[in-house]
Amino acid sequence: MGRADGSDRRVTTAPIDDSTATILHVDMDAFFASVELLDHPEARGKPAIVGHPGPRSVVTSATYEARKFGVRSAMPMTQALRLCPNAIILPPHMNKYREYSKQVMAIFSEVTPLVEPLSIDEAFLDVAGARRLLGSPRRIAELIRARVFAETGLPCSVGAASTKFVAKLASGRAKPNGLLVIPQSETLAYLRPLPVGALWGVGASTQEALQRMGLRTVGDLADAPLHLLQKTVGDASGRKLHELANGRDARDVTVESREKSVGHEMTFEQDVSDPDRLRRELLRLSNQVGARLRSHELVGRTVALKIRFSDFRTIARSRTLGESTNVGRRIFEEAWQVYEGLDLGRTPIRLIGVRMEQLAESGGSRLALWDPDEEWRETERTLDAVSARFGRGMIGPASLVKPGRDADEAAEDGRNPRWISD
C-alpha cells in the first residue's frame, strides 16, 4: 500500500478492462498545502508546512517534499521543524479550503449525481450511469482529474474499483497525482499481499493481536476460519474483517441527506481571556456534543474548534482522529490541544465552540480490541441514563466547578448538578 510521501506508488498506465470498476474514490493531494501553493508558487517543489509558527502550534498539512522528512498532519510544529529545519511555513486559510472544496464537489456532481462526500477533500462517486455519455470508468476518472486541475490548479488522485473499500485503497496507492484501476477480477490478487493493517478499522492493537495469531497479510486473514476471528475481535467485527479480506463490500455510494456535523458553542456576555474558564467551557460543550452524538447513535472523526474574538474576527481549526468517537472527554482533549496550538495567551475571546464532523453510524464502527476511552465511555453512558430519568445537567464532571467552590456546595444550589470526580 502506498505511503503518504509517494513511495511504493502504483498507477494504471497499460490498457485494462475497467468495466467493473464503476466506484471511484477521489482524494485531493495534500489539499491544504496544495491550495496554499497556488498563492506561493515560489514554494513549489520545496518542503512546505501549513500551520502557525510557535512552540505549541501543530501541523495542519504538509507538501509531499516535507512528508519525505517524516512531517505529518497534527504533529507539533517544533517536532516538524526538527525533522525538516529548512521547511517553508505557510499560514492556513480555512475559508479558501472550503471554497475550493465547493468547486471540486461541484465538478463531481456534474459528472454523476451519485456523489458521497467523506470530508472537505475526498468523495466516493458511482459512475456506472455515466458510462454511456462519458466513456469507461478509467476515462471518467481521467476526465475528472484533468478538469479539477484545469479549473482549480489542484492535483488529485483517483482509485477505481468495484467496491468502496478497494477504491479508497487504490487512491491511496496512486498518490500523489495518479490513477489506479483495480478490476473486480483482480481484487483478491491486489488485496491478499497487503498487511492486515490495510483493512478499515484495524488499529495497532487489533493488528498486533491478529499477528500473534499468525495473520500478517490480508490473505492470511481471508483464509482464517470465521469463528476464530469472531472469537478474537467479536462477532460483528470478525465478520466485517472477513468480508473485506475476501473483497466483499456491499455498501453503495449514498447521497441521502444526513446530519453532517454536531456542535455547540457559547457566546460570553463579556469577553473571556482566562484560559481556565475557557477550558471549563470547552469541556462542557464537548460533553454536550458527545451526548448528542450518542443520542443519535453517531460517531465523528474530525474535531473542529471555533473561536470568535472581541473584534468579531473568527477562526476555525480542526484535527482528524485515528478512530471515530462519541466520547465527550476525548472530544474535549482533542479540542483543547487544538486551542493550545493556537498560542493565544490571554487574548479576549467572545465565542468558543466545538463541533464533530465526518459523522457515521456508531453501530459496529469500532474494531479495536482495547478501547483507550473505555472508562470514560462507560461513565458517560451512565450519565446519559441519569439524564434520561432526571433531566440533563443533574450530574457532571467535577472539573466544571469553578475553583474555590466546593463540589458539595455547588450541588446544594438548585441550579447546579451533582458532580463526579474526573
Side-chain angles (χ1 to χ4, degrees):
M1 191 174 175
R3 292 186 286 273
D5 62 2
S7 60
D8 196 26
R9 180 173 178 264
R10 176 180 168 186
V11 295
T12 297
T13 55
I16 192 170
D17 178 12
D18 60 347
S19 59
T20 59
T22 56
I23 294 181
L24 309 184
H25 180 259
V26 187
D27 198 356
M28 305 304 293
D29 294 326
F31 181 52
F32 292 176
S34 295
V35 171
E36 294 301 334
L37 290 179
L38 296 176
D39 293 330
H40 296 276
E42 73 282 0
R44 291 187 179 278
K46 301 177 182 179
I49 299 173
V50 179
H52 294 283
R56 294 191 293 177
S57 298
V58 297
V59 174
T60 301
S61 182
T63 61
Y64 286 94
E65 291 79 6
R67 297 182 188 193
K68 290 179 180 178
F69 290 87
V71 177
R72 296 290 182 269
S73 297
M75 175 182 290
M77 185 65 75
T78 52
Q79 181 183 354
L81 291 177
R82 284 197 299 270
L83 293 171
C84 188
N86 296 322
I88 300 170
I89 306 299
L90 303 174
H93 299 87
M94 290 302 301
N95 289 337
K96 290 198 300 186
Y97 309 149
R98 294 190 187 97
E99 184 57 36
Y100 277 103
S101 176
K102 290 179 182 178
Q103 294 182 43
V104 170
M105 296 298 171
I107 293 173
F108 298 164
S109 297
E110 292 179 14
V111 172
T112 173
L114 300 179
V115 178
E116 181 183 344
L118 297 182
S119 64
I120 194 172
D121 63 346
E122 62 176 321
F124 284 116
L125 286 71
D126 187 334
V127 298
R131 287 180 296 177
R132 178 171 298 181
L133 180 63
L134 299 178
S136 69
R138 177 178 177 178
R139 176 59 179 159
I140 295 173
E142 291 171 341
L143 288 171
I144 290 173
R145 294 183 61 243
R147 191 174 164 192
V148 167
F149 186 78
E151 297 183 24
T152 69
L154 300 172
C156 65
S157 296
V158 182
S162 60
T163 66
K164 294 170 77 171
F165 167 57
V166 178
K168 186 170 175 65
L169 283 180
S171 67
R173 187 73 175 268
K175 281 183 170 292
N177 196 23
L179 164 64
L180 178 59
V181 179
I182 302 178
Q184 187 174 28
S185 60
E186 298 181 17
T187 295
L188 291 180
Y190 174 76
L191 287 176
R192 289 183 66 87
L194 299 178
V196 291
L199 293 177
W200 270 344
V202 176
S205 58
T206 303
Q207 182 173 354
E208 182 180 347
L210 293 173
Q211 289 177 342
R212 286 200 299 268
M213 298 166 56
L215 307 179
R216 290 177 170 76
T217 67
V218 173
D220 294 337
L221 196 150
D223 296 337
L226 176 59
H227 69 86
L228 183 62
L229 293 177
Q230 291 177 317
K231 182 179 180 181
T232 303
V233 300
D235 290 345
S237 298
R239 184 174 298 278
K240 182 181 294 186
L241 287 176
H242 196 258
E243 290 291 296
L244 292 177
N246 282 281
R248 295 188 289 267
D249 180 7
R251 296 170 305 151
D252 296 322
V253 174
T254 57
V255 296
E256 73 269 12
S257 60
R258 61 187 300 177
E259 196 165 15
K260 295 183 179 180
S261 64
V262 168
H264 286 278
E265 57 188 42
M266 174 66 180
T267 300
F268 301 109
E269 292 184 3
Q270 295 182 339
D271 296 344
V272 174
S273 59
D274 178 10
D276 288 336
R277 183 178 174 190
L278 292 170
R279 191 176 191 277
R280 291 196 304 273
E281 188 60 37
L282 198 55
L283 174 59
R284 185 181 69 84
L285 295 171
S286 298
N287 284 334
Q288 290 180 350
V289 171
R292 189 169 158 195
L293 287 171
R294 293 190 298 275
S295 69
H296 290 86
E297 297 184 347
L298 295 172
V299 292
R301 193 169 175 215
T302 296
V303 180
L305 176 69
K306 177 180 177 181
I307 293 178
R308 180 168 296 151
F309 300 101
S310 56
D311 60 356
F312 287 90
R313 180 171 57 93
T314 303
I315 62 174
R317 301 288 186 270
S318 64
R319 66 188 303 174
T320 299
L321 312 181
E323 295 185 33
S324 300
T325 189
N326 55 19
V327 176
R329 187 70 181 198
R330 171 62 57 206
I331 297 170
F332 160 73
E333 289 178 350
E334 300 294 335
W336 184 248
Q337 287 186 40
V338 173
Y339 172 85
E340 289 186 313
L342 295 173
D343 197 18
L344 297 177
R346 300 186 71 85
T347 304
I349 291 176
R350 175 184 177 85
L351 173 149
I352 192 167
V354 64
R355 179 172 296 276
M356 285 297 287
E357 301 171 346
Q358 287 190 258
L359 304 187
E361 294 180 0
S362 59
S365 64
R366 188 177 182 92
L367 301 183
L369 291 179
W370 296 279
D371 183 356
D373 298 323
E374 180 177 2
E375 182 177 350
W376 278 107
R377 190 183 305 277
E378 292 304 314
T379 299
E380 292 183 11
R381 284 174 177 165
T382 301
L383 295 180
D384 291 340
V386 173
S387 298
R389 182 173 182 181
F390 298 107
R392 188 159 294 282
M394 292 306 297
I395 189 169
S399 53
L400 289 179
V401 180
K402 294 180 180 179
R405 189 179 189 198
D406 183 82
D408 289 331
E409 286 182 15
E412 295 303 321
D413 186 339
R415 298 171 299 170
N416 289 287
R418 285 284 176 182
W419 307 93
I420 59 173
S421 173
D422 57 345

